[in-house]
Amino acid sequence: MRITTKTEISAYPLLSRGKVRDIYDIDDKTLLIVTTDRMSAFDVIMDKPIPYKGVILNQITLFWMKKFAHLVKNHLIESDVDKFPAALAPYREELEGRSVLVKKAKPHVGTDILKDVVREMRREIVKNGGEVHFRTALTGVSLKNGALTAVRADGMDIPCERAIIAVGHSARDTFLALHENGVYFEPKAFSVGVRIEHLQSELDRALYGKFAGHPLLPPAEYNLSRRADGRACYSFCMCPGGVVVAAQSEQDTVVTNGMSYHARSGKNANAALAVSVDPEDFENGTPFGGVALQRQIEHAAYAQTGSYRAPCQRVGDFLADRPTKSLGAVEPTYPVGVEPGRAAASLPDFAQTMLRDSLPYFGRKIRGYDAADALLTGPETRTSSPVRMKRGEDLFGLGIAGLIPCGEGAGYAGGIMSAAVDGIRAAFRIMEEYKPE
């Protein structure tokens, strides 16, 4: 086993070299996935790797795949390199521990099964001596000479010298409590936008052509992006056969998101269409200008409909800059209900303009994407954390020694995998400090 940042396996074609993984085409049913030690932040691959990070990621994946095999079918064929095809034998040292043979597939858990997976993860934590406290909010920390001595949770002090703060990107009350206790925050770029819905059958026809509807083909999905004038507009969290859901965490606000069940059998496909927002767009003299902008948008959407119903608009009307009075072929899936009108009216003008300019561009990429009856529902504001808890080289948050901000809510990840890697880094930091002499 050795540190691996890039593989060169001449025995099989290289299909893809991503931010972390190299993927090879073994045969018409099998892929070889090699998880390297490359380190990335969003779309940038760093020069310096994290030694054996790929091995750790691969082993964590194998653990949970085997743990949940009775709940969710997976694509794993083999992880023992000694059982790999003979042509891979010369590469054993660089493949050991970090590679798998898998079926050609795109696994999808689904929100309906994910809740069972999370429950099993909690049980595994408890089985190994951990504790899980429900209805228990972090309300502050206790310090002595600038070092952590305890965390406060609903009036109860929990003594500790090290604490990993791995909150979600919408933990606004925790952000404020930590800021009041001296944790240094800075504003961070994020994105705002709307949800767009199409008939899944139309999307299938656009992407699969004459093969649309074939039983061996999954519901079609996509990934779109466009840059102009220093901003990005892109699709995010695409949900084939899914539904648009309510995601507000405060009263008198409207926030949308999306999800798919495991079967992905819904009539509509949906995705976020998001526009990048920079700290210069919401500067208010505090680290929480982004939170203020999110709240402004969310309250404006609520005021627009006078309820928790979400404003929606046909794409044809949005492009013509006129309110929608009646809906077309695409029926909204938002469970709380919708109000026809202007879906993006609560967004900043620059975001509305970027969306309006980008939809025809995406329509040239996917036929019918900007069809008149496609449906926009808004707003979507919680794409990522609008703040970052600044930390030093020792991973401690500036202002509090012993407190380790981690993951997406802390501003150090942009999704599930990057959050997992940051969590591993935080765990290694503590393990290294407390390892036996």
Side-chain angles (χ1 to χ4, degrees):
M1 188 183 299
R2 68 187 189 198
I3 297 172
T4 300
T5 58
K6 183 180 180 181
T7 60
E8 297 289 353
I9 299 174
S10 59
Y12 296 102
L14 176 69
L15 285 184
S16 172
R17 178 167 281 127
K19 292 185 288 185
V20 176
R21 290 169 179 81
D22 294 349
I23 303 176
Y24 291 87
D25 190 13
I26 302 301
D27 56 38
D28 60 349
K29 295 182 179 180
T30 312
L31 298 173
L32 169 69
I33 300 179
V34 186
T35 308
T36 72
D37 299 324
R38 294 192 293 266
M39 179 61 184
S40 67
F42 298 94
D43 291 328
V44 179
I45 298 174
M46 307 301 186
D47 294 330
K48 188 176 180 180
I50 298 179
Y52 305 109
K53 180 198 84 168
V55 175
I56 295 167
L57 281 178
N58 193 57
Q59 294 305 312
I60 290 174
T61 298
L62 289 171
F63 174 84
W64 289 113
M65 289 173 78
K66 294 172 182 176
K67 181 73 177 177
F68 296 129
H70 66 291
L71 288 175
V72 185
K73 292 181 180 179
N74 60 57
H75 58 317
L76 178 65
I77 297 174
E78 187 55 69
S79 59
D80 184 349
V81 293
D82 292 329
K83 297 178 181 178
F84 283 9
L88 293 173
Y91 308 96
R92 187 185 193 285
E93 187 178 357
E94 62 183 309
L95 295 178
E96 185 179 9
R98 63 171 76 250
S99 59
V100 288
L101 292 176
V102 298
K103 301 171 188 175
K104 288 184 176 178
K106 188 167 185 180
H108 170 68
V109 177
T111 304
D112 48 334
I113 293 178
L114 184 61
K115 66 181 188 298
D116 297 327
V117 172
V118 172
R119 183 178 62 243
E120 290 293 321
M121 292 175 70
R122 170 172 53 83
R123 288 173 175 170
E124 185 71 17
I125 290 170
V126 173
K127 187 179 79 173
N128 285 280
E131 297 180 7
V132 178
H133 295 257
F134 291 99
R135 301 181 183 275
T136 306
L138 178 71
T139 55
V141 296
S142 296
L143 309 174
K144 184 177 182 180
N145 299 325
L148 182 69
T149 60
V151 295
R152 284 195 303 278
D154 287 345
M156 173 179 60
D157 270 9
I158 303 174
C160 62
E161 296 177 344
R162 301 289 181 265
I164 297 175
I165 303 297
V167 295
H169 61 41
S170 297
R172 296 168 175 173
D173 53 345
T174 306
F175 295 160
L176 186 59
L178 291 173
H179 182 59
E180 291 174 346
N181 278 262
V183 176
Y184 182 84
F185 282 78
E186 62 184 10
K188 185 182 77 63
F190 62 104
S191 301
V192 300
V194 294
R195 278 273 151 183
I196 184 167
E197 291 188 87
H198 299 87
L199 291 174
Q200 184 67 57
S201 58
E202 291 298 316
L203 192 61
D204 291 346
R205 275 191 281 273
L207 294 177
Y208 292 147
K210 65 180 181 180
F211 298 106
H214 193 286
L216 294 180
L217 288 174
E221 52 188 302
Y222 58 83
N223 186 10
L224 296 168
S225 64
R226 171 181 175 263
R227 295 194 66 88
D229 302 323
R231 292 196 190 276
C233 180
Y234 59 98
S235 63
F236 176 76
C237 184
M238 196 271 154
C239 303
V243 295
V244 179
V245 297
Q248 56 263 40
S249 56
E250 298 178 347
Q251 287 187 329
D252 300 340
T253 58
V254 174
V255 184
T256 64
N257 207 315
M259 56 165 266
S260 293
Y261 292 109
H262 180 67
R264 289 178 161 179
S265 57
K267 188 176 181 180
N268 291 357
N270 78 80
L273 275 188
V275 176
S276 58
V277 179
D278 297 319
E280 295 77 14
D281 297 319
F282 51 76
E283 173 61 42
N284 69 351
T286 79
F288 302 110
V291 174
L293 176 61
Q294 287 177 327
R295 281 182 169 142
Q296 175 186 321
I297 293 170
E298 295 160 12
H299 283 293
Y302 180 90
Q304 187 179 342
T305 66
S307 69
Y308 290 105
R309 294 165 66 87
C312 73
Q313 189 173 16
R314 294 168 64 248
V315 165
D317 292 331
F318 176 71
L319 293 176
D321 196 19
R322 60 176 179 252
T324 288
K325 296 182 179 179
S326 61
L327 303 180
V330 181
E331 298 178 0
T333 58
Y334 191 71
V336 185
V338 297
E339 192 74 35
R342 295 183 181 272
S346 61
L347 300 178
D349 289 344
F350 68 79
Q352 296 185 47
T353 299
M354 189 66 171
L355 288 169
R356 194 166 280 117
D357 291 344
S358 298
L359 274 164
Y361 174 84
F362 295 152
R364 293 192 291 273
K365 298 288 185 180
I366 299 176
R367 178 174 50 84
Y369 194 84
D370 57 345
D373 275 358
L375 190 65
L376 305 177
T377 306
E380 171 127 358
T381 55
R382 312 290 184 89
T383 54
S384 66
S385 179
V387 296
R388 177 177 289 111
M389 301 182 210
K390 191 74 172 177
R391 66 190 186 193
E393 289 296 319
D394 57 4
L395 299 192
F396 292 159
L398 299 187
I400 299 182
L403 190 76
I404 303 178
C406 175
E408 193 165 357
Y412 290 95
I416 294 171
M417 287 307 300
S418 55
V421 170
D422 200 50
I424 292 169
R425 188 181 182 195
F428 273 7
R429 166 69 176 80
I430 293 175
M431 291 165 64
E432 180 66 27
E433 183 177 4
Y434 289 96
K435 67 182 180 182
E437 294 294 338

